[in-house]
Amino acid sequence: MSKEVVIDPFTRIEGHLKIRAEVDDDGNVLDDSAYSSGTLFRGFENIIKGHDPVDAIHIMSRICGVCHLAHAEAATRALEEIYEVQPPEQGALMRDISNGAQNVEDHAEIVYALQLPDLANPRYVGDNGLIPDNTLKNELKKRFPAINDPLGPGESYLKAVETRKHIAQVVGIINGIAPHPRTFVPGGIASKPDSNDISKIAASWGQVVDFVEQYALGRPRDPVSWETWYDLVQEWGESDTPLADILEWINELEDQKGTEGLGDVPLFLKYGALNDLQGGTNLQMHRYGVTDDLLMSFEGYEEYDESWIESGIFDLQDMDAGIQEVDTDQITEDVSRAFYEDDTGGHPSEGLTEPLTDLEDEDFGVWDPDEKYSWSKAPRYELNGEMRTVEVGPLARMVIGDPTGLITSIATSDEWEEIDAFPVNTFTRMVARIHNLVLFVPKLLEWVTSVDLDGNFYEEPDWSNGKDSEGLGLFEPPRGALTHYIRTDSNGKVEHYQAVVPTTWNMTPRCQDGLQGPYEKAIQSIGPDKWGGLPEIPENPVQMMHTIRSFDPCIACAVHTIGPDGNNNKFDVWRT
């Protein structure tokens, strides 16, 4: 007999999300039982209609207070197509610095404030928890509990929150305010920095480097430099056995310094999953959260006419095909299982945002794959004549365009077959996000020292080009591939606007063909009969929580959940 688990709203994420699944007596999530439901309608695409196109930068950045720069950047890129203008090198560089800092801020918040607190779950560190080693148990309890946990706040959690403000200062210096930039414009950036600005940015970034070296990679009394780490990841990126090589390095560190001497990243890498290679204690986070469809990434962070992060499509069902070029004409949105008027989907240039308005009698507790159940549309990508679901985010970005090759090497390593696992899982999503964060440390330092205060930061557009025109803004922010499409009328006003955001790709409901999206597929990979993982416990579904948070949904945080018995309870299922 199965039990229904409904987590509503899902906490420690941005936004309003409901996850539902059924778990059998052996702890397996049943096939076809998972549903991902967005529970909030907003309609920004309708708000912008009739406005001056440049208003899109400021209005669309309000889609999210966390991803504000991402939407401002994508909107700006769409406008630069309309006005046929490109930012000069220094203008693009300042936008890169701003977006890069926001990338680190976002990843640090996700890893330390939203994801790692799950490692202090009583299922792992409780009196009857899965971790028998008291030293490891004590480290997890000491470092990672959230501020509202009776064990918290953890020392790493607290330091990450403190460091986050220094990163936000970088964004504020460039944009005049954070969130929601005032300086992004078609053709570059509207505020020219001076030497004082650059000095402040460098000082703030120094605080970030200290955190990475003293907490993420090492410990306060025994830091590991980012240079050392960067050299290592380049070696591992060229290896045929990157997982074993990483574990060997961590084992050597642990032999020298003890478990308590490991940085947060090595600690997580070994005991999150890699220790499985030698049959040791681990949380088996690599044995669930599996998806096996397409990965997609858009380019971003242009460096002198070239992109630091490359774009592409990677087919997990045909890895030998390699990285394929993204064709945005193949992107569509399906609304057959979403609360929108039928026939309003399609390519962003055609799709509409027309919500259903007669839902007073809708029973939102009924789960039927043939009925509407989410406010999220269902994006799909057509590849070789077949509609496919797509996963986006740090894992997709790093598999396709990791400058060091590490995550590409990990994803294509034969080591996964040797332990009967699949490379796209909850653990590797978190590893890719952590790796992406650390990569920005040297890159931001390089960018900041490349600023030419006497350079040109803005190219004036020909504003007359803004009539009867269209633009497509693509960007690769922290959560993954982002699309903004805009079309103007004969008066130069916004006639049509559509945004296809990263979380829409990942949380997509089923489509007309019944295809489930990444969240739903990943949830259904939980259980001992799936990939040999731990049984899920309906009363404390920590693996479901790990999995959804590994995608980092961006949908405002909630404070309670619906328990398996249907009662409305405060969200304390993780701490009993």
Side-chain angles (χ1 to χ4, degrees):
M1 184 176 178
S2 64
K3 291 184 178 180
E4 182 184 49
V5 177
V6 180
I7 306 176
D8 175 28
F10 206 105
T11 61
R12 259 191 282 135
I13 63 169
E14 273 72 37
H16 300 71
L17 174 67
K18 180 192 297 186
I19 294 293
R20 181 267 188 193
E22 294 179 35
V23 180
D24 69 17
D25 292 340
D26 296 321
N28 300 292
V29 176
L30 299 183
D31 292 344
D32 300 319
S33 73
Y35 289 80
S36 167
S37 174
T39 61
L40 178 69
F41 171 74
R42 305 182 78 195
F44 271 79
E45 293 101 335
N46 297 335
I47 295 172
I48 190 65
K49 288 181 180 179
H51 278 261
D52 187 285
V54 177
D55 290 347
I57 300 172
H58 307 290
I59 292 176
M60 302 312 283
S61 79
R62 265 72 179 177
I63 287 176
C64 178
V66 175
C67 311
H68 55 102
L69 278 181
H71 291 290
E73 178 71 25
T76 303
R77 290 177 178 229
L79 295 177
E80 286 170 342
E81 284 203 356
I82 281 182
Y83 296 116
E84 301 177 13
V85 64
Q86 289 298 314
E89 180 180 303
Q90 291 298 310
L93 183 62
M94 291 305 294
R95 285 186 358 205
D96 281 348
I97 294 171
S98 183
N99 281 303
Q102 202 275 329
N103 203 303
V104 173
E105 178 186 7
D106 194 68
H107 285 328
E109 179 181 25
I110 295 156
V111 171
Y112 278 95
L114 307 183
Q115 292 180 339
L116 290 183
D118 282 332
L119 302 189
N121 190 290
R123 187 170 186 193
Y124 304 140
V125 302
D127 293 338
N128 298 311
L130 295 170
I131 298 175
D133 186 310
N134 283 330
T135 301
L136 174 59
K137 186 183 297 186
N138 289 337
E139 286 303 309
L140 297 179
K141 292 162 68 174
K142 180 174 71 173
R143 298 186 192 193
F144 301 132
I147 195 168
N148 62 330
D149 190 317
L151 299 174
E155 60 182 31
S156 293
Y157 173 98
L158 207 58
K159 190 64 177 179
V161 172
E162 177 187 339
T163 303
R164 182 177 180 269
K165 69 180 182 182
H166 296 292
I167 312 174
Q169 287 172 352
V170 174
V171 178
I173 290 167
I174 296 173
N175 298 301
I177 191 173
H180 310 304
R182 295 291 186 269
T183 59
F184 280 25
V185 289
I189 197 161
S191 176
K192 186 175 182 178
D194 57 26
S195 58
N196 190 42
D197 292 329
I198 301 303
S199 296
K200 288 179 179 178
I201 291 172
S204 294
W205 202 246
Q207 298 290 329
V208 177
V209 173
D210 288 346
F211 173 79
V212 168
E213 296 182 340
Q214 296 176 17
Y215 286 86
L217 301 180
R219 305 308 295 156
R221 294 184 179 181
D222 193 7
V224 174
S225 72
W226 66 261
E227 292 97 338
T228 297
W229 176 260
Y230 201 82
D231 288 342
L232 285 167
V233 299
Q234 288 182 308
E235 290 179 18
W236 298 332
E238 296 176 354
S239 172
D240 293 329
T241 57
L243 303 180
D245 292 352
I246 295 170
L247 180 60
E248 181 182 4
W249 175 72
I250 298 172
N251 285 339
E252 291 175 359
L253 280 182
E254 195 169 24
D255 289 342
Q256 298 169 14
K257 306 176 182 181
T259 304
E260 63 276 11
L262 294 178
D264 298 334
V265 172
L267 186 76
F268 170 74
L269 290 174
K270 178 171 181 175
Y271 293 106
L274 293 186
N275 213 24
D276 195 24
L277 294 174
Q278 56 189 22
T281 298
N282 71 96
L283 303 183
Q284 299 187 37
M285 297 177 72
H286 57 308
R287 297 198 176 277
Y288 58 87
V290 173
T291 66
D292 64 350
D293 215 322
L294 299 180
L295 301 179
M296 181 172 71
S297 175
F298 292 159
E299 63 187 6
Y301 306 100
E302 283 76 10
E303 295 185 304
Y304 324 120
D305 299 325
E306 295 184 0
S307 290
W308 178 50
I309 302 292
E310 297 295 333
S311 65
I313 290 279
F314 187 70
D315 190 348
L316 293 169
Q317 297 175 14
D318 184 15
M319 294 190 188
D320 291 339
I323 308 300
Q324 304 176 58
E325 186 176 349
V326 175
D327 181 358
T328 57
D329 289 340
Q330 305 309 314
I331 295 173
T332 62
E333 289 188 296
D334 184 289
V335 296
S336 61
R337 303 297 180 267
F339 297 121
Y340 297 92
E341 295 289 348
D342 291 336
D343 302 321
T344 58
H347 185 267
S349 63
E350 303 168 343
L352 303 173
T353 303
E354 295 185 3
L356 296 178
T357 58
D358 55 349
L359 299 175
E360 293 87 354
D361 299 324
E362 184 75 21
D363 186 351
F364 294 99
V366 174
W367 303 98
D368 186 332
D370 296 322
E371 300 294 334
K372 296 176 182 287
Y373 61 89
S374 178
W375 284 105
S376 172
K377 296 180 181 180
R380 297 292 184 265
Y381 187 93
E382 185 173 349
L383 183 67
N384 300 325
E386 181 184 1
M387 286 298 180
R388 305 281 295 275
T389 55
V390 178
E391 177 176 334
V392 303
L395 181 55
R397 174 162 61 250
M398 292 290 96
V399 168
I400 292 167
D402 182 357
T404 70
L406 173 63
I407 303 302
T408 308
S409 179
I410 288 175
T412 56
S413 173
D414 292 336
E415 294 168 290
W416 296 106
E417 290 186 22
E418 296 170 7
I419 58 173
D420 296 320
F422 192 76
V424 175
N425 54 61
T426 296
F427 173 73
T428 52
R429 278 188 206 97
M430 294 179 67
V431 171
R433 178 170 286 109
I434 292 167
H435 177 61
N436 197 187
L437 185 161
V438 178
L439 278 185
F440 270 101
V441 171
K443 183 53 65 175
L444 262 293
L445 291 171
E446 175 190 330
W447 285 340
V448 170
T449 57
S450 299
V451 175
D452 178 4
L453 298 178
D454 296 321
N456 181 23
F457 293 83
Y458 175 65
E459 185 71 32
E460 179 80 16
D462 182 349
W463 300 106
S464 66
N465 291 329
K467 298 178 180 179
D468 290 320
S469 186
E470 63 179 349
L472 188 66
L474 306 178
F475 190 52
E476 183 66 22
R479 289 175 174 86
L482 173 63
T483 304
H484 278 226
Y485 173 86
I486 184 172
R487 185 171 64 243
T488 57
D489 61 21
S490 58
N491 295 316
K493 303 299 183 182
V494 177
E495 179 180 68
H496 182 86
Y497 206 105
Q498 286 288 296
V500 184
V501 305
T503 296
T504 312
W505 284 103
N506 290 333
M507 72 172 289
T508 166
R510 292 161 174 80
C511 64
Q512 189 169 11
D513 294 334
L515 294 175
Q516 290 180 292
Y519 285 9
E520 296 175 343
K521 292 179 181 178
I523 288 292
Q524 288 168 185
S525 70
I526 294 173
D529 293 345
K530 303 302 178 78
W531 290 93
L534 301 170
E536 187 63 292
I537 299 175
E539 294 75 21
N540 181 13
V542 65
Q543 294 175 108
M544 290 188 188
M545 297 178 191
H546 277 316
T547 295
I548 297 302
R549 290 178 183 135
S550 74
F551 289 95
D552 182 29
C554 189
I555 313 165
C557 294
V559 294
H560 64 277
T561 187
I562 302 296
D565 56 1
N567 292 325
N568 199 359
N569 300 318
K570 289 187 176 180
F571 188 73
D572 56 5
V573 67
W574 52 272
R575 174 66 59 197
T576 57

